[in-house]
Amino acid sequence: MAERTASVERNTLETQIKVSINLDGTGKARFDIGVPFLEHMLDQIARHGLIDLDIECKGDLHIDDHHTVEDVGITLGQAFTQAIGDKKGIVRYGHSYVPLDEALSRVVIDFSGRPGLQMHVPFTRAVVGGFDVDLFQEFFQGFVNHALVSLHIDNLRGHNTHHQIETVFKAFGRALRMAVERDPRMVGQMPSTKGVL
């Protein structure tokens, strides 16, 4: 079976990013982004998605984290598109519910070829560890637009903002893992009646 890996670089006046992924990895992760809370959340994707991730970013953090967070989402989405290829033989859909103490989140994803984001997370605080939680919407919008997926994110309950966010990222990792899994009954087949995704 062909390796499902990709390395993508994105260079703008605001950020310089390198992303390498292996969809069939073991959850190894290395980050040099300069935004510790984002790195902690990306580690959840790797660990719970069993996706190897290596991400470097030099961004204009002297302004704020916005461009870095959004552009990491964009570049990660581009890497997924490249690594997943023509989508033949994949499960296509993934979903997960993940709890963490009082918090519970649900993430559902479809590698449909059509970008769409529905994110409903009633954050109880605006900042966690110096990180502006509004930026997670930018991260996921960037990912969705470039991975060409439909993504539904719902925090169903929770009052600790760190827990709310962590359950979202763990569920996102597990949903990704399910969706990109190779289905032995679908070898060589497109998981769509249209014949293309």
Side-chain angles (χ1 to χ4, degrees):
M1 284 191 206
E3 279 194 355
R4 298 190 301 169
T5 61
S7 293
V8 175
E9 290 191 32
R10 174 182 164 85
N11 295 297
T12 72
L13 296 177
E14 298 165 340
T15 59
Q16 297 81 51
I17 303 176
K18 293 179 185 175
V19 172
S20 295
I21 66 170
N22 179 357
L23 298 184
D24 303 303
T26 58
K28 290 185 296 188
R30 188 187 76 84
F31 306 113
D32 182 9
I33 299 171
V35 184
F37 194 68
L38 176 64
E39 292 178 355
H40 178 47
M41 292 303 114
L42 291 169
D43 196 32
Q44 307 305 322
I45 297 173
R47 189 74 47 92
H48 296 283
L50 290 180
I51 296 164
D52 294 345
L53 283 178
D54 189 320
I55 303 176
E56 294 179 22
C57 178
K58 296 200 182 335
D60 54 2
L61 298 178
H62 59 286
I63 296 174
D64 72 4
D65 296 345
H66 188 117
H67 299 138
T68 293
V69 175
E70 180 179 22
D71 289 4
V72 166
I74 288 170
T75 313
L76 184 61
Q78 292 171 335
F80 262 84
T81 294
Q82 198 174 109
I84 206 163
D86 65 10
K87 302 178 190 171
K88 285 183 179 174
I90 67 166
V91 172
R92 174 180 167 177
Y93 302 100
H95 60 87
S96 182
Y97 287 80
V98 170
L100 175 56
D101 297 340
E102 88 300 342
L104 174 66
S105 292
R106 173 185 61 215
V107 174
V108 183
I109 194 166
D110 175 11
F111 276 81
S112 61
R114 298 182 306 279
L117 175 65
Q118 291 291 321
M119 183 171 172
H120 303 281
V121 183
F123 293 118
T124 56
R125 279 189 291 153
V127 176
V128 175
F131 187 89
D132 176 359
V133 298
D134 283 345
L135 296 181
F136 283 122
Q137 176 97 23
E138 304 303 324
F139 170 84
F140 284 114
Q141 191 66 66
F143 178 85
V144 160
N145 288 348
H146 293 270
L148 302 177
V149 298
S150 295
L151 180 63
H152 289 253
I153 298 171
D154 294 282
N155 174 241
L156 303 175
R157 62 181 58 94
H159 56 77
N160 180 307
T161 305
H162 188 133
H163 291 173
Q164 289 176 292
I165 297 166
E166 191 162 332
T167 56
V168 164
F169 273 84
K170 286 177 175 175
F172 180 57
R174 292 189 65 83
L176 283 170
R177 177 179 169 186
M178 180 187 291
V180 303
E181 195 76 24
R182 289 183 168 115
D183 184 341
R185 296 176 62 198
M186 288 288 290
V187 174
Q189 296 182 60
M190 186 64 70
S192 170
T193 55
K194 288 192 287 291
V196 65
L197 286 173

